[in-house]
Amino acid sequence: MVRMAINARERKGTISRYLYGQFAEHLGRCIYEGIWVGPDSPIPNTEGYRTDVLEALKNLNIPVLRWPGGCFADEYHWMDGIGPKSQRARMINNHWGGVEENNHFGTHEFLRLCELLETEPYISGNVGSGTVREMQQWVEYMTFDGESPMAGLRKENGKEQPWKLPFFGVGNENWGCGGNMRPEYYADLYRRYSSYVRNYGDNQVYKIACGPNTDDYHWTEVLMREAHWLMNGLSLHYYTIPSGNWFASKGSATEFGVDEWFSTMKNTLFMEELIVKHSKIMDKYDPEGKVGLIVDEWGGWYDVEPGTNPGFLYQQNTLRDALIAGVNLNIFHRYSKRVKMANIAQVVNVLQAMVLTEGDKMLLTPTYHVFDMYKVHQDAELLDVEFESPMYKHGSQLIPQLSVSASIDKEGRIHLSVCNLHHAVSASVSCHLEGAEGKEISGTLLTHSSLNAHNTFHQPEVVKPAKFTGAKLEDGQVHMELPPASVVVLTLK
């Protein structure tokens, strides 16, 4: 029996809704076919956006959407994507499959998408191959309300009033596909470029610097030392790879056994170590916590589905991905004092997607369901949870069996999210409530008897949430039996 205690009197700060951000890159079928089909498409659409995808994503209460990349961002020249579509410059997407990009989805289309989804835009600017002037003019085009060449051009293109632009990334992965830079060089470029990302009128831009690749702590040290006072956020990218090998087979998305399940869970938990160590460096230069750690690329990354373009990064999404999502979100909650935003990669048809499409068909993935279950935590107050997890042993390796977080919302409801990482062993939990009296309990469960269970276009509801009947309230205690390989969210009123 696992003993657990939730202290409702001790609030640990707000779990920012921005931890539930999404990411849409010009990559494979994410934008074209996944989100944008054009107004003349036979696929039901709203102003050219797939209606089914819009409705599914709107249900998640997405707080922020990152665009246009990713690696694509540092080859993207925004003026190619404005004006009449027939006159927009065409280009080759060098990073992702070598396919032609017609630029029909540009600044206006992205910002309109954000309006339809009622989400906030996060735009990544081009430092790798772009100029300071280009970046400055893009921000002016979007946000300046006055007389200027860029504001005039925006109005000519049909947008009289400026948009609000809350988040702007000054480059992306500049240690790699964004220019293969040294941190010292990028720090100087960041200082220069960010100076021209201006606040026009009452629009205040939260400026995000390119942060480290996984465990490159030297990069974080240099960026914080040289430019922390000029940034609002520092990004971090980390992907869960079952094999742990970027340059060979990462592992199949659907064909895996217990060994790969365990390595995936272990590698997912590495996110906590990364956050702790990078945060320690940030604390040295920013003890007041003014600079947010922005995990704007995370999720599972596998070998692409057989027969698909390897540059499109299309992969299936199984029960294993549901656990990746739940564990990461629990980690982000616990470190929300420093982690201010996270953006899973990516929203449609790429990597660990929320939805998959094929022609006029669409399905919801297990990851989608976890985001739907967990959205109750958005902007709730983090609660302290005391427990000692049993260990999940596989061979000679050990990891914690349970991942947990809890919050209390504005209506006083306590939400407890628990992931059982073990592939075969259930967990009995007795949870004591301090400072709160639970009168009613309900819950949602996501699990399946098969570890590689996933939804297909022929069987789109193989993995879906169900009412959780394994919890009960007795004398101020919550008793629950968690199935193996499961994600549970409980609500206590």
Side-chain angles (χ1 to χ4, degrees), residues 267-317:
N267 293 344
T268 297
L269 290 168
F270 185 56
M271 178 68 83
E272 182 166 16
E273 179 179 326
L274 290 173
I275 290 173
V276 168
K277 289 185 175 180
H278 285 295
S279 295
K280 186 176 181 180
I281 298 168
M282 295 174 77
D283 289 344
K284 180 167 70 171
Y285 297 97
D286 175 38
E288 296 178 355
K290 294 180 179 178
V291 180
L293 185 59
I294 311 298
V295 189
D296 57 17
E297 290 189 29
W298 67 274
W301 192 319
Y302 315 120
D303 298 336
V304 301
E305 290 305 298
T308 65
N309 187 322
F312 282 11
L313 305 187
Y314 178 78
Q315 62 188 40
Q316 252 295 354
N317 197 297

Side-chain angles (χ1 to χ4, degrees), residues 18 26 28 41 61 68 81 91 138 147 151 193 199 245 249 270 287 293 303 308-309 343 365 367 386 448 485 492:
Y18 296 116
H26 287 246
S41 174
N61 299 338
M91 61 178 285
W138 198 6
E147 292 295 323
Y193 277 66
N199 294 321
N245 191 333
S249 173
F270 185 56
L293 185 59
D303 298 336
T308 65
N309 187 322
N343 307 77
T365 67
T367 298
E386 292 185 2
H448 198 277
L492 293 157

Side-chain angles (χ1 to χ4, degrees), residues 141-450:
Y141 181 90
M142 291 184 283
T143 65
F144 185 61
D145 185 14
E147 292 295 323
S148 79
M150 292 301 102
L153 182 58
R154 182 191 71 238
K155 292 173 183 178
E156 286 177 23
N157 288 327
K159 188 70 168 71
E160 187 68 25
Q161 298 300 318
W163 293 280
K164 293 295 183 186
L165 178 63
F167 303 103
F168 193 89
V170 182
N172 167 78
E173 293 193 358
N174 300 100
W175 37 261
C177 62
N180 291 303
M181 302 175 190
R182 298 179 304 119
E184 294 81 3
Y185 180 70
Y186 172 74
D188 284 341
L189 281 186
Y190 175 81
R191 290 165 63 137
R192 180 185 176 206
Y193 277 66
S194 66
S195 300
Y196 297 91
V197 179
R198 295 193 173 102
N199 294 321
Y200 293 106
D202 62 354
N203 186 76
Q204 298 293 306
V205 181
Y206 187 99
K207 301 177 188 179
I208 299 170
C210 168
N213 177 21
T214 310
D215 56 356
D216 185 351
Y217 302 111
H218 175 64
W219 185 283
T220 299
E221 180 83 32
V222 172
L223 263 292
M224 291 300 294
R225 183 185 71 221
E226 300 297 335
H228 71 88
W229 63 93
L230 295 172
M231 66 178 76
N232 302 107
L234 183 72
S235 71
L236 168 66
H237 292 178
Y238 174 62
Y239 289 95
T240 295
I241 299 172
S243 70
N245 191 333
W246 270 103
F247 305 104
S249 173
K250 296 178 176 64
S252 168
T254 57
E255 300 300 320
F256 57 85
V258 174
D259 288 350
E260 291 82 8
W261 173 276
F262 183 87
S263 66
T264 300
M265 297 302 108
K266 181 181 178 182
N267 293 344
T268 297
L269 290 168
F270 185 56
M271 178 68 83
E272 182 166 16
E273 179 179 326
L274 290 173
I275 290 173
V276 168
K277 289 185 175 180
H278 285 295
S279 295
K280 186 176 181 180
I281 298 168
M282 295 174 77
D283 289 344
K284 180 167 70 171
Y285 297 97
D286 175 38
E288 296 178 355
K290 294 180 179 178
V291 180
L293 185 59
I294 311 298
V295 189
D296 57 17
E297 290 189 29
W298 67 274
W301 192 319
Y302 315 120
D303 298 336
V304 301
E305 290 305 298
T308 65
N309 187 322
F312 282 11
L313 305 187
Y314 178 78
Q315 62 188 40
Q316 252 295 354
N317 197 297
T318 70
L319 178 64
R320 179 173 63 166
D321 295 281
L323 271 294
I324 291 175
V327 169
N328 273 294
L329 291 171
N330 286 339
I331 292 171
F332 298 152
H333 293 174
R334 291 200 299 277
Y335 294 95
S336 53
K337 186 175 180 181
R338 178 63 79 176
V339 181
K340 299 300 184 185
M341 184 194 294
N343 307 77
I344 190 170
Q346 295 183 11
V347 65
V348 185
N349 288 335
V350 173
L351 298 176
Q352 192 173 342
M354 300 295 112
V355 301
L356 302 178
T357 68
E358 185 178 275
D360 62 355
K361 300 187 181 84
M362 185 203 75
L363 63 80
L364 307 178
T365 67
T367 298
Y368 176 97
H369 293 310
V370 171
F371 269 71
D372 192 24
M373 293 162 61
Y374 270 55
K375 68 186 180 185
V376 294
H377 290 297
Q378 292 188 22
D379 285 339
E381 291 293 308
L382 180 67
L383 296 179
D384 187 49
V385 182
E386 292 185 2
F387 77 107
E388 187 170 331
S389 174
M391 299 308 290
Y392 175 9
K393 187 174 187 297
H394 184 67
S396 61
Q397 300 184 81
L398 292 170
I399 60 173
Q401 181 180 346
L402 301 180
S403 168
V404 178
S405 67
S407 68
I408 185 166
D409 64 20
K410 292 178 175 61
E411 285 73 40
R413 293 171 298 205
I414 293 174
H415 302 287
L416 175 65
S417 51
V418 188
C419 298
N420 182 0
L421 281 62
H422 203 294
H423 70 280
V425 176
S426 61
S428 299
V429 178
S430 179
C431 181
H432 176 65
L433 300 176
E434 299 178 14
E437 185 179 343
K439 296 180 179 179
E440 183 181 329
I441 189 169
S442 60
T444 306
L445 166 71
L446 189 71
T447 190
H448 198 277
S449 58
S450 175

